[in-house]
Amino acid sequence: MPDNYESVLTFMPKVRKILLIDDEPDYLDKLVKSLEHNGFECRKMADSVQATKLLEREKFDVVITDISMPGRNGFEVIEAVRSNNSAGTVIAISGQLDRNIEKEAISTGADAFIAKPIDLQTLIEFLGTIGNETGE
């Protein structure tokens, strides 16, 4: 992820409101700044328990959640999103490069899995596909 938060956006995204959940505050801050610089409205939470409470009250276009966190892990966050119907798309992220984690995230209800460190261009390209599947 670039430290200069350069804009890589080449389209107007349909995704606007993103909740990012990660217990690594420095990483979370960089990711949020990069996405906001590219026109996304972001909310960040480092506490997964508080994040799942927020998901009971508020809707997001996309939830991006780390898998390995204290409190509630990312799989539990994904389950909460799906049971509350609080986001259309869920992206699981992890620094643990384990195919079983990726498979479990997808089977739990994540729409995508992206390994850390996240390539900003890849993430933004994926966000650009959301809502455009039917040519809207």
Side-chain angles (χ1 to χ4, degrees):
M1 185 170 357
D3 282 333
N4 63 356
Y5 314 114
E6 67 187 45
S7 180
V8 295
L9 194 60
T10 58
F11 56 88
M12 182 54 69
K14 292 182 185 257
V15 169
R16 279 302 194 208
K17 193 173 174 186
I18 302 173
L19 174 62
L20 296 104
I21 309 162
D22 196 318
D23 63 325
E24 297 178 45
D26 291 340
Y27 188 80
L28 187 59
D29 287 342
K30 282 183 180 182
L31 185 56
V32 166
K33 285 178 185 175
S34 294
L35 289 171
E36 286 177 341
H37 186 75
N38 280 277
F40 296 96
E41 175 189 336
C42 297
R43 179 116 183 236
K44 64 181 178 178
M45 299 200 78
D47 183 323
S48 59
V49 174
Q50 292 302 314
T52 54
K53 289 179 182 176
L54 175 67
L55 288 164
E56 293 172 4
R57 303 183 313 270
E58 199 168 330
K59 304 273 186 213
F60 294 87
D61 296 320
V62 176
V63 171
I64 300 174
T65 183
D66 189 21
I67 293 296
S68 299
M69 298 181 288
R72 293 195 175 142
N73 65 37
F75 303 120
E76 293 170 303
V77 171
I78 295 166
E79 289 171 350
V81 169
R82 293 304 179 213
S83 68
N84 296 326
N85 196 26
S86 49
T89 301
V90 179
I91 301 170
I93 61 174
S94 180
Q96 300 176 20
L97 302 178
D98 181 339
R99 296 293 278 164
N100 292 327
I101 291 174
E102 180 178 355
K103 288 177 186 176
E104 186 174 351
I106 299 299
S107 70
T108 303
D111 298 290
F113 178 89
I114 300 175
K116 287 181 175 180
I118 294 174
D119 176 69
L120 184 60
Q121 182 70 40
T122 301
L123 176 59
I124 289 181
E125 286 174 4
F126 179 78
L127 293 172
T129 66
I130 298 169
N132 292 323
E133 298 85 2
T134 60
E136 295 177 14

